[in-house]
Amino acid sequence: MIWEVFRQEEPGDYHQHVGNVHAPDREMAKQFAQIQHARRMQTNSLWVVPQSEIGEVTAEEASFGGETDKSYRWAMTYNDIDASFAEEVAESEEEQREAAEKRTEVNS
Amino acid sequence: MDIETVEQRAGPRQFGPSDELPEEYRRAATRMIQFHANSEVMGGYLDKEFTRHAPSLDRKLANTAKVQDEIGHAQLLYRAAETLGVKTREEMLDELANGEGKFLNCFHYPVDSWYEAPMIDFFVDGGAMRRQATLKRTSWTPYAHAMDKICFEEGFHVKHGESILRELMTSSKAVQERVQETFEEWWPRILQFFGPTNDESHHDEFAQRVGLKTVSNDELRNSFLNMYVPKAEKYGLEIPEYPRIFERDDGTMAVREEDLDWEEFWTIAKNDYEGSHEQIGSRRRRQEAVEWVRQAMDSWDTTAESAPQAAD
Ligand SMILES: [Fe+2]
Ligand SMILES: [Fe+2]
């Protein structure tokens, strides 16, 4: 049986997928995950999840975010407005800009 | 873990579902996150009203996207609240429908004109964004994670809200006057958004000690005034004489609390204001009206040939 492994480096971090292990049951999966993924890497917590329990949808079958122009839902669209007056608004816009750039890079 | 240990360890993203936390912490966190989640729902319901008032297709589209975001924020937050093990999502939604669930004061006032859109979308979302940014450092990790995603999206709401205000305040004199009138009606409510400053409630003090809340209401309102008063003025809005705003010795701004209607505020806090009944009631009726959709979802035939489409 294959178990997907998610590692959290520090308390408060997200658990991130780091790979998978072969194991007959949950207990063994936790053991193997520790050995393979937490021996050297800083680790606060590990999750193991049976691979068969994971549902997947890919860019081939779905068009994430839709196909029509949805620029109205991005902060950058309102470029006559200066977000710098509030750092949290500016930060949000910056995160959106990065996300949008990544999207166009991948799609082009 | 006992309360003393919680207080000692309290810090950003310190605790999560795998920690054994005292009842008092879990209850306080549930109260706070449930209130936040309820406010996202009620804010979304209020905001959807603007879609039909919006003057252009672009504005309508942006407005529906915003409403969709807010309802999504509620979903994230109910999940974060549920992880505390005090109440289920179902229980929290029931409480909201039957009038027990509490939510932000500004969402107890029904809206019916486009002039009100910037009051909510710029000032209220702006105030909420101030608060939410500080909650990225809350001690309950699932709450902080929800904040990461919510803050990512909110920049669009605030900028779009400001864009509406700008558009209205650069059109005809008559429109500008209507916006000013609307602003005068909303301004005191917006100032009350952060709650009373002087007597920070017992809840708040505990929430700060255990790191659930990182900034006081007073500080939040101050920084809000420092940022948003100049914005209002920039677009030609006149700040009403009352409630009086004054500058403190350190140059920060504050409001004379005695100028605000706290009786109305506390009636609202009990869901007992006229508007509360109207907003809670209209949401409940709408929920009932779409009961058939939920039923259809429950009895979804997984063997159906067509795959469900995500609402993108
Ligand atoms: Fe929101
Ligand atoms: Fe928002």
Side-chain angles (χ1 to χ4, degrees), chain B residues 66 70 73 125 154 157:
Chain B
K66 176 186 192 282
E70 304 299 12
H73 297 170
D125 270 68
E154 282 290 335
H157 302 180

Side-chain angles (χ1 to χ4, degrees), chain B residues 136-172:
Chain B
K136 282 188 175 188
R137 298 169 51 76
T138 180
S139 57
W140 185 244
T141 303
Y143 194 17
H145 285 182
M147 270 324 116
D148 287 339
K149 179 157 192 294
I150 289 175
C151 290
F152 167 76
E153 296 180 350
E154 282 290 335
F156 144 54
H157 302 180
V158 180
K159 283 193 78 187
H160 180 242
E162 186 176 340
S163 165
I164 299 169
L165 180 64
R166 181 174 192 252
E167 186 175 75
L168 290 170
M169 292 306 283
T170 49
S171 58
S172 74

Side-chain angles (χ1 to χ4, degrees), chain B residues 14-173:
Chain B
Q14 260 321 299
F15 311 120
S18 55
D19 292 306
E20 265 192 54
L21 290 154
E23 181 84 5
E24 206 183 345
Y25 178 94
R26 290 187 291 112
R27 288 207 173 277
T30 304
R31 184 189 310 110
M32 192 171 159
I33 306 172
Q34 183 181 1
F35 181 92
H36 195 163
N38 290 344
S39 301
E40 299 281 357
V41 173
M42 299 311 289
Y45 264 80
L46 181 139
D47 239 318
K48 79 169 179 37
E49 204 54 32
F50 295 132
T51 303
R52 64 194 179 87
H53 293 294
S56 68
L57 194 52
D58 279 339
R59 293 286 187 215
K60 286 182 199 295
L61 285 167
N63 200 70
T64 51
K66 176 186 192 282
V67 171
Q68 195 181 30
D69 283 350
E70 304 299 12
I71 301 302
H73 297 170
Q75 302 293 350
L76 289 172
L77 289 164
Y78 283 123
R79 277 296 307 127
E82 212 175 28
T83 54
L84 288 148
V86 175
K87 286 181 192 173
T88 64
R89 180 175 176 279
E90 210 53 36
E91 282 170 332
M92 292 184 274
L93 285 167
D94 283 347
E95 286 180 12
L96 185 61
N98 69 25
E100 271 174 72
K102 303 293 163 56
F103 56 96
L104 273 174
N105 72 318
C106 288
F107 303 144
H108 290 248
Y109 301 95
V111 293
D112 69 351
S113 88
W114 182 242
Y115 307 108
E116 290 177 291
M119 307 307 148
I120 303 294
D121 299 353
F122 183 49
F123 293 106
V124 178
D125 270 68
M129 184 75 175
R130 280 264 84 198
R131 170 149 47 196
Q132 293 181 135
T134 69
L135 290 172
K136 282 188 175 188
R137 298 169 51 76
T138 180
S139 57
W140 185 244
T141 303
Y143 194 17
H145 285 182
M147 270 324 116
D148 287 339
K149 179 157 192 294
I150 289 175
C151 290
F152 167 76
E153 296 180 350
E154 282 290 335
F156 144 54
H157 302 180
V158 180
K159 283 193 78 187
H160 180 242
E162 186 176 340
S163 165
I164 299 169
L165 180 64
R166 181 174 192 252
E167 186 175 75
L168 290 170
M169 292 306 283
T170 49
S171 58
S172 74
K173 189 95 192 94

Side-chain angles (χ1 to χ4, degrees), chain A residues 53-71:
Chain A
E53 292 298 315
I54 291 179
E56 184 180 11
V57 51
T58 68
E60 243 162 58
E61 32 186 312
S63 81
F64 298 121
E67 275 162 6
T68 50
D69 176 11
K70 293 202 169 58
S71 51

